[in-house]
Amino acid sequence: MGRDILFKTDDFIFSYRVGGLLIKNDKILLQKPENDDFAIIGGHVSSLETTAETLKREFEEELHAKIEVDNLAAVGEVFFSWGQKPCHQICLYYKVHLLNDSDIPSEGSFHGYDDLDNERIDLDFCWVPLEKLKHGLKVYPLELIPYILNDHSETAHFVSKQI
């Protein structure tokens, strides 16, 4: 495995990330780090790794589930604060599906973890009804929510400036 495409300088951070939109029975599977907001499951692309390979690796590492990557749903240019520094992130969001529905619980919440900068981050994963996204549940980046709720046939592009 290569090195994450994540560059930190004295002035800013650049992040190349990929996220998977797993939607089943009018619910989306989201991750929630402790003391943070809901987010799309995914991770940083490693050098010489395709975005599909990254998504498959991340779902196996975090959820012990095998997925198939479907179509590219959206490309996001996301600007946010990472600690004390601004971060410029490019994120590709794909629709995905489970290869085996029994790999993960089909309802409720369950636990997992991720590793970032050699630090374990505990995560809760939960199925959230799409209806809750329509009524204001915050999932970052917020600009992605309309593309989750509407089944667009074309790949969307959005910019999210959280700083």
Side-chain angles (χ1 to χ4, degrees):
M1 179 169 65
R3 184 174 169 210
D4 284 352
I5 303 175
L6 176 66
F7 302 103
K8 297 181 178 183
T9 71
D10 291 340
D11 300 323
F12 74 97
I13 297 169
F14 175 80
S15 164
Y16 180 32
R17 188 177 187 277
V18 63
L21 306 174
L22 179 55
I23 298 172
K24 192 168 86 171
N25 300 326
D26 292 323
K27 295 178 183 175
I28 185 167
L29 187 62
L30 298 173
Q31 69 183 27
K32 189 173 186 316
E34 193 174 336
N35 301 318
D36 207 346
D37 295 303
F38 287 101
I40 303 301
I41 298 168
H44 290 103
V45 178
S46 289
S47 61
L48 304 176
E49 183 178 54
T50 68
T51 51
E53 291 168 339
T54 299
L55 268 181
K56 289 177 181 182
R57 174 179 53 79
E58 290 289 341
F59 270 78
E60 280 197 50
E61 288 174 359
E62 297 176 10
L63 297 161
H64 306 290
K66 292 187 183 296
I67 60 162
E68 189 59 48
V69 178
D70 300 323
N71 61 307
L72 178 63
V75 176
E77 296 178 62
V78 185
F79 302 86
F80 61 97
S81 293
W82 184 321
Q84 301 299 314
K85 295 181 184 178
C87 180
H88 181 162
Q89 182 178 83
I90 302 298
C91 191
L92 306 182
Y93 298 93
Y94 289 90
K95 291 189 177 181
V96 301
H97 67 272
L98 292 170
L99 289 179
N100 184 351
D101 284 341
S102 65
D103 278 352
I104 59 173
S106 59
E107 293 290 326
S109 299
F110 49 99
H111 303 288
Y113 68 91
D114 194 6
D115 184 54
L116 183 61
D117 292 335
N118 296 315
E119 182 180 326
R120 180 184 165 126
I121 300 169
D122 290 321
L123 298 169
D124 286 326
F125 295 96
C126 52
W127 289 101
V128 175
L130 294 174
E131 194 67 28
K132 285 192 173 187
L133 273 65
K134 291 179 187 175
H135 293 91
L137 180 74
K138 290 186 178 179
V139 177
Y140 287 97
L142 297 172
E143 292 80 1
L144 179 62
I145 293 173
Y147 303 105
I148 294 171
L149 295 174
N150 299 314
D151 194 19
H152 296 282
S153 58
E154 296 178 8
T155 302
H157 169 258
F158 67 89
V159 175
S160 175
K161 289 201 172 189
Q162 300 168 26
I163 54 175

